[in-house]
Amino acid sequence: MFAANPRHGAKCLHLWKWKRHVCALHGPPSGQRRPAGTLWGSRCLLQTFHPMNSSRVVPYSSKKERIDMSEYDVDYIRNFSIIAHVDHGKSTLADRLLEITGCIPKAASNKQVLDKLQVERERGITVKAQTASLFYTYEGKKYLLNLIDTPGHVDFSYEVSRSLSACQGVLLVVDANEGIQAQTVANFFLAFEAQLSIIPVINKIDLKNADPERVEKQIEKMFDIPASDCIRISAKLGTNVEKVLQEVVRRLPPPRVEKGSPLKALLFDSTFDHYRGVIASIALCGGDVCRGNKIVSAHSGKCYEVHEVGILTPGEVPAEKLYAGQVGYLIAGMKDVQEAQIGDTLYLLKQPVDPLPGFKPAKPMVFAGMFPVDQSEYSNLKSALEKLTLNDSSVSVSRDSSAALGAGWRLGFLGLLHMEVFNQRLEQEYNASVIMTSPTVPYRAVEYGEQEITIVNPSEFPDKSVVKEYLEPMILGTIISPDEYLGKIMSLCQTRRAEQKSFLYIDEHRIMMKYLFPLNEVVVDFYDHLKSFSSGYASFDYEDAGYQPADLVKMDILLNGRPVEELVTIAHKEKAYAVGKAICERLRDAIPRQLFEIAVQASIGSKIIARET
C-alpha cells in the first residue's frame, strides 16, 4: 500500500513500529482471542490505516478525560491557605501534601512544585499564589481539599489577602529555628480579621538548632493559641505531615454556601493564555456551572459562554460541572485583559444575584517611570504590560512621557521587591527590555483653596508659594529581632526620622518594636541596612499609616547648568544636602569621561547645594 514512494516507506516503518508497540500494550478487543503465534500489533496496524477505517481515528485533543465533581458534597470540602514569613517552608509543605494525596508522584526532584514562574525558582520565593485540589480519604470518607500556597514577603501581601477570601481556614507555618517573624504576625492578623480558623504548624523540627518548645510559647503569648494546638513537622523529611491533613479535615469548617441558589462565583485570580484567553480562578459561593452555560460579569455586565470548567491538581483537569463550595478554573472566551476584574462576581444569564463585596483595591507605595529602550517597541511593551498586570492586579498603570525618554508609563508597586520582580517577569516572559526611573513615593500638597493634590511624578512638585503645606506618606513598621542588636537597630531608625510607638519582649531574647516611619526613608535601602546591622536575624513588616505634614523640598540635578527632568528628587529639608551630595558623586562615577569638564550640580530653587566635576 505504501511502497510507491520510498520516502513514505521509512515514515511508515516508523509508524508501524510505534503502532505495534501501542497495540501490543492494548491487546485484542474484548471477547476476541489472539491466535497463537500472531502479532496483534501488525493486524491492528492494517485495520487502522486502511482507507475504509479512517473514520475510526479519534482526534486526541477533543477527548479530554473529564472528572465528576458531584460526589463531593459541601460537607466534605475544605478550602485552606498556607501562610508564613518568607522562607519558613510553605512551598515545601505544599509539595509533601501534593505527594501524600497522590497529585504528584514522590520524587527527589519535587521542589517548589507550585512555584511555576522562572523568577520564583531563581529567587527561591513565592510571588504568585497557586491553587491545587487534593483528594484525601479520612476515616472511610472522601474529602476534597483546596489548597492555596501564598507568598511570604510583605510586598505580596495583596496576593495573601485575595487568597484568604476563598478559604475557611489557614495553616500558619512557623520555623522551629527562627520563631515568630514580622510577616508571621502580619499574616496572622490578616487571617484573624477574615475570621478564619487557624492551625499553627511548627516546621523544620529536623534542624540542629530547632527549639519547638520556645516557638510554642511565643505562639501562645503572641496569638493566644494553646501550645497543645500546634503540630510539629518537618516538611523536608515528611515527618508528621499526614497529621496536618487529618487536622485540616477535623478542625476546619466546610464552606458556607447557599444551597439551591443560582450561580454566584467569586473571581479571585486570573492568568492569560495566548490561545485560550483569560483563565479565571473562581470560588463558588452558590449554584453550579458547566460547559455551555451563559454567564454574566457583575463588573462589566458582559455575557460569555463557558467553554471549559475544571480543577487544578496542580495541572488543569477539566470537569463536567463545578458545584457550590468548590474552587476551580473557568475559561469563557474573555479575550481582553480588562474583562477579568479581580474580585468580580459571575452569575448565570437572567439569574442576577447581589455581587460579592470583592477586595479593597491595592494601595501602591512606590512609583517609577517605565520607558521602552527603543520607541519602536512601544506597542509590544504595551500589550506585554496589559497581560502582566492581569496576572498581577496590584500594579497601577498611568501614561507618562518624558523629553529625554519619550512615551512611557508611570507604574505603582507595593514595594521595591515587587518592582524588581515585575521588571524581571517582563524580561523573562515577554522578552521586553525597559528603562526604569528611580522609585519615588506619592506625596500630597494642600493648596491655599484647601484643595488636596497627589504628586506621583517629582517633576510636577508644586512651588512653596502656591502651597499651604506638604504631606508625606507614613507607615507603621514592625521589627522583630534578637535583643543583642537593639542598640544598632534603634540608631538606624533614628537616622530615618522614625518615631517609636511600642516595645515588647516576645520571649527571653526576642523583642518586637513598632515605629512610625516616613515611607520615603524606608523604601530604598532600609531593609538591607536592617539585615546587615542584625546579621540577618531581624525581620521587618509594614502597613499604611496615612499622611503627615512635612518640610519637603524639590531638588533639581543640573548637568552643565541644564536641569534633567528624570533626576528630579523630593527630599526632606534636613537631609537635602546629604542626598544631593550622594547623587552628584554617583553621577560623577557613572557618566563616561569627556575631553571637557561637565559640572554635575544639585540645586534647590536657584541655590546650588552640591557640585562634582
Side-chain angles (χ1 to χ4, degrees):
M1 178 165 104
F2 296 112
N5 189 330
R7 273 189 199 168
H8 286 167
K11 195 173 177 183
C12 294
L13 182 68
H14 175 72
L15 275 170
W16 180 77
K17 282 178 182 170
W18 178 79
K19 202 72 193 173
R20 225 177 97 172
H21 168 69
V22 172
C23 296
L25 285 176
H26 287 295
S30 57
Q32 287 186 32
R33 288 185 62 223
R34 177 162 62 187
T38 62
L39 225 182
W40 181 256
S42 53
R43 194 174 138 202
C44 177
L45 175 80
L46 288 173
Q47 259 197 346
T48 309
F49 280 94
H50 198 276
M52 298 300 286
N53 295 323
S54 59
S55 60
R56 292 190 192 184
V57 180
V58 179
Y60 166 70
S61 59
S62 68
K63 285 289 177 191
K64 265 188 179 175
E65 191 67 37
R66 292 177 184 275
I67 58 169
D68 182 16
M69 299 297 290
S70 60
E71 58 187 283
Y72 296 98
D73 186 54
V74 71
D75 295 333
Y76 297 106
I77 298 173
R78 302 288 184 269
N79 301 327
F80 68 100
S81 272
I82 304 180
I83 57 173
H85 186 80
V86 68
D87 205 27
H88 277 202
K90 292 181 301 301
S91 298
T92 312
L93 174 58
D95 294 345
R96 295 297 86 77
L97 296 178
L98 288 168
E99 285 177 0
I100 288 172
T101 53
C103 288
I104 54 173
K106 288 189 180 181
S109 59
N110 287 341
K111 288 190 175 112
Q112 295 172 284
V113 173
L114 292 178
D115 291 351
K116 296 172 185 173
L117 301 176
Q118 189 182 336
V119 62
E120 293 179 315
R121 293 187 169 275
E122 283 176 8
R123 288 175 178 259
I125 58 173
T126 304
V127 166
K128 187 110 183 75
Q130 295 288 353
T131 311
S133 296
L134 321 174
F135 300 101
Y136 182 61
T137 306
Y138 178 63
E139 293 181 348
K141 297 188 181 88
K142 281 176 82 176
Y143 288 86
L144 172 65
L145 312 178
N146 294 310
L147 151 73
I148 303 179
D149 180 25
T150 63
H153 197 279
V154 56
D155 282 12
F156 305 103
S157 55
Y158 186 62
E159 286 280 328
V160 180
S161 63
R162 282 214 324 257
S163 305
L164 297 185
S165 67
C167 297
Q168 284 72 50
V170 294
L171 298 177
L172 180 69
V173 180
V174 186
D175 190 321
N177 192 16
E178 302 272 347
I180 286 176
Q181 303 275 309
Q183 194 62 29
T184 317
V185 179
N187 282 337
F188 169 81
F189 283 111
L190 272 178
F192 187 72
E193 282 166 22
Q195 299 179 337
L196 304 181
S197 304
I198 297 168
I199 301 176
V201 176
I202 298 172
N203 190 17
K204 305 190 184 182
I205 56 168
D206 56 309
L207 293 182
K208 193 171 68 178
N209 297 330
D211 189 352
E213 286 88 2
R214 174 176 66 91
V215 178
E216 281 174 359
K217 284 177 191 164
Q218 286 179 9
I219 289 171
E220 200 158 21
K221 184 175 180 182
M222 287 291 295
F223 305 141
D224 206 17
I225 298 174
S228 57
D229 284 4
C230 299
I231 307 171
R232 297 183 188 182
I233 67 161
S234 164
K236 188 179 177 185
L237 303 179
T239 314
N240 221 11
V241 175
E242 180 95 41
K243 192 181 175 190
V244 173
L245 285 172
Q246 293 168 4
E247 292 301 311
V248 163
V249 170
R250 280 175 35 209
R251 290 202 223 169
L252 300 188
R256 292 184 291 278
V257 297
E258 304 157 22
K259 286 193 177 178
S261 65
L263 172 68
K264 191 181 199 177
L266 172 72
L267 195 157
F268 67 91
D269 202 359
S270 57
T271 53
F272 189 81
D273 185 290
H274 288 283
Y275 304 104
R276 298 182 296 170
V278 175
I279 301 171
S281 297
I282 55 168
L284 273 72
C285 305
D288 50 55
V289 63
C290 65
R291 185 181 175 179
N293 281 160
K294 293 270 199 307
I295 58 164
V296 179
S297 151
H299 170 79
S300 66
K302 286 189 177 177
C303 179
Y304 305 96
E305 184 176 338
V306 179
H307 299 321
E308 190 180 308
V309 294
I311 57 167
L312 298 158
T313 67
E316 289 170 15
V317 178
E320 293 290 343
K321 211 177 213 185
L322 288 181
Y323 297 87
Q326 296 175 0
V327 174
Y329 72 90
L330 173 145
I331 301 170
M334 294 182 186
K335 294 284 184 288
D336 187 13
V337 171
Q338 306 304 324
E339 293 175 43
Q341 282 290 330
I342 302 296
D344 195 1
T345 305
L346 304 174
Y347 59 86
L348 290 176
L349 184 65
K350 296 181 181 168
Q351 292 185 0
V353 294
D354 293 331
L356 294 155
F359 309 110
K360 283 191 294 192
K363 267 190 173 173
M365 296 286 213
V366 178
F367 287 85
M370 177 185 276
F371 301 89
V373 174
D374 181 355
Q375 277 297 313
S376 63
E377 289 291 307
Y378 182 85
S379 57
N380 292 349
L381 184 57
K382 185 184 174 194
S383 87
L385 257 183
E386 284 177 352
K387 284 165 189 163
L388 195 49
T389 46
L390 171 79
N391 281 14
D392 188 351
S393 58
S394 53
V395 179
S396 69
V397 182
S398 59
R399 288 201 173 174
D400 195 10
S401 64
S402 139
L405 300 172
W409 299 268
R410 194 97 194 150
L411 303 183
F413 302 97
L414 300 181
L416 213 61
L417 177 71
H418 187 202
M419 182 175 115
E420 283 176 30
V421 165
F422 189 86
N423 198 3
Q424 201 172 333
R425 286 185 69 187
L426 263 182
E427 283 178 20
Q428 289 174 350
E429 294 171 35
Y430 298 96
N431 205 15
S433 49
V434 296
I435 298 168
M436 294 288 273
T437 64
S438 62
T440 60
V441 300
Y443 294 99
R444 285 184 185 168
V446 181
E447 296 177 331
Y448 280 108
E450 297 299 324
Q451 189 186 351
E452 209 174 84
I453 55 169
T454 302
I455 306 129
V456 171
N457 194 336
S459 60
E460 294 163 4
F461 198 71
D463 192 56
K464 186 76 178 141
S465 58
V466 296
V467 170
K468 201 173 178 180
E469 66 175 355
Y470 296 119
L471 304 171
E472 68 177 339
M474 307 296 288
I475 55 165
L476 186 65
T478 305
I479 299 170
I480 294 182
S481 165
D483 55 5
E484 63 201 85
Y485 305 109
L486 178 61
K488 287 180 181 176
I489 290 171
M490 288 180 85
S491 63
L492 170 67
C493 294
Q494 279 163 358
T495 61
R496 300 303 175 108
R497 301 191 286 129
E499 181 189 330
Q500 193 175 37
K501 290 292 180 189
S502 70
F503 184 95
L504 173 75
Y505 267 90
I506 56 174
D507 64 15
E508 298 86 67
H509 303 294
R510 288 165 68 78
I511 46 171
M512 182 169 85
M513 296 177 280
K514 285 190 184 287
Y515 277 94
L516 194 65
F517 287 95
L519 178 59
N520 192 31
E521 298 286 345
V522 170
V523 84
V524 179
D525 58 356
F526 175 79
Y527 190 67
D528 298 344
H529 281 116
L530 179 69
K531 282 289 185 191
S532 61
F533 284 173
S534 65
S535 307
Y537 284 110
S539 62
F540 179 66
D541 180 71
Y542 62 82
E543 57 189 90
D544 185 25
Y547 281 76
Q548 276 190 8
D551 195 0
L552 303 171
V553 290
K554 175 185 175 183
M555 187 176 2
D556 289 305
I557 304 297
L558 314 176
L559 294 181
N560 272 352
R562 293 174 65 183
V564 181
E565 189 187 297
E566 283 67 40
L567 298 175
V568 173
T569 308
I570 297 169
H572 194 268
K573 202 168 185 179
E574 288 173 11
K575 304 186 100 179
Y577 171 73
V579 172
K581 182 112 180 92
I583 291 175
C584 288
E585 284 172 357
R586 282 188 65 187
L587 282 173
R588 182 195 64 197
D589 299 337
I591 294 172
R593 288 187 171 276
Q594 309 290 332
L595 294 172
F596 51 89
E597 282 190 355
I598 295 178
V600 181
Q601 298 166 309
S603 75
I604 296 171
S606 56
K607 184 182 174 188
I608 304 293
I609 59 166
R611 172 182 171 133
E612 294 289 333
T613 303

